[in-house]
Amino acid sequence: MTSGSKIRLERWCRGLVAALAFSASSAWAFDLPELMGLLAKQKSGEARFTEQRFVRGLEGPLDASGTLSFQAPDKMTRRTLTPRPESMVVDGNTLTLSRGGRTRTMTLDSMPELLGMVEAMRGTLTGNTQSLARYFRASVSGTPDKWTLDLVPIDEKLAAQVRTLRLSGRAGEVLGIEMEFIGGDRSVMSITPTRTAP
């Protein structure tokens, strides 16, 4: 075998090894079903949150903080402590808002765009792929220890309000939520779990 042939053979072998390694890594890539399986294991949880809302025309972000809780299959509570106390409770198809001693209750069916956002959260927290697929095109990147779930609205009414939604986390925990709205506003939330129950 000539030296030129030997070099070509070595290159071909290296290329084959690289291709096989790429194929193997793709075959075992972390995907949406695997992420949904991890999330579905968490039946309830509590967390603290801090949120920054960037609004066009305003200098500097609007800050908020408080607590979050979730109980499968469909109850979520957000209690804002600062800058002013208020709460939002979603239980099934019912949304209850409380602020300054006043309470308002309505059905999610009456607000399709809000229903889509709620289903994005509930679908993620419960590992319900079908619920997500009704409203979003979903893609996953990363590993079980550090994943990102990108959601792009496919529902027309929701797409008129929200450009993208990105959730990030570790295993079955959601640790961050970023939302980009039509018009340029943006929200960034950091989540610190305080209690989870299998």
Side-chain angles (χ1 to χ4, degrees):
M1 180 181 291
T2 66
S3 59
S5 298
K6 186 175 181 181
I7 290 173
R8 284 194 296 272
L9 180 60
E10 288 176 353
R11 286 177 179 171
W12 185 83
C13 288
R14 284 198 297 267
L16 179 61
V17 169
L20 289 172
F22 177 77
S23 298
S25 64
S26 297
W28 293 98
F30 187 55
D31 58 12
L32 184 61
E34 188 175 352
L35 173 59
M36 293 292 103
L38 290 174
L39 291 163
K41 294 178 182 179
Q42 301 291 346
K43 302 303 182 184
S44 66
E46 295 178 1
R48 295 188 303 272
F49 77 87
T50 58
E51 181 182 37
Q52 290 189 311
R53 179 77 180 262
F54 300 87
V55 180
R56 288 187 63 186
L58 291 183
E59 194 171 324
L62 301 175
D63 296 327
S65 63
T67 64
L68 302 168
S69 65
F70 171 73
Q71 185 174 346
D74 55 12
K75 184 173 183 179
M76 297 189 307
T77 302
R78 169 181 164 141
R79 298 191 188 282
T80 302
L81 303 176
T82 62
R84 61 179 180 272
E86 59 184 39
S87 69
M88 179 182 74
V89 180
V90 177
D91 193 353
N93 190 43
T94 302
L95 170 66
T96 303
L97 302 172
S98 299
R99 178 192 298 174
R102 300 176 61 185
T103 298
R104 181 183 177 193
T105 300
M106 61 199 81
T107 63
L108 290 173
D109 287 342
S110 65
M111 297 169 292
E113 64 282 356
L114 182 56
L115 175 60
M117 292 298 295
V118 169
E119 289 303 327
M121 292 305 304
R122 287 200 293 212
T124 301
L125 291 170
T126 59
N128 189 330
T129 307
Q130 291 182 337
S131 181
L132 280 182
R134 286 180 57 195
Y135 297 94
F136 297 93
R137 184 173 67 253
S139 60
V140 174
S141 59
T143 67
D145 292 328
K146 188 177 182 181
W147 53 262
T148 300
L149 173 63
D150 287 304
L151 302 175
V152 178
I154 56 175
D155 177 81
E156 184 177 330
K157 292 182 178 179
L158 183 57
Q161 303 279 338
V162 178
R163 190 180 305 278
T164 59
L165 178 62
R166 169 172 284 187
L167 297 96
S168 56
R170 178 184 62 244
E173 296 179 328
V174 178
L175 303 178
I177 303 172
E178 297 183 30
M179 289 184 284
E180 184 179 345
F181 299 90
I182 300 299
D185 291 359
R186 189 165 58 94
S187 171
V188 180
M189 179 185 289
S190 297
I191 300 171
T192 303
T194 56
R195 185 183 68 83
T196 58

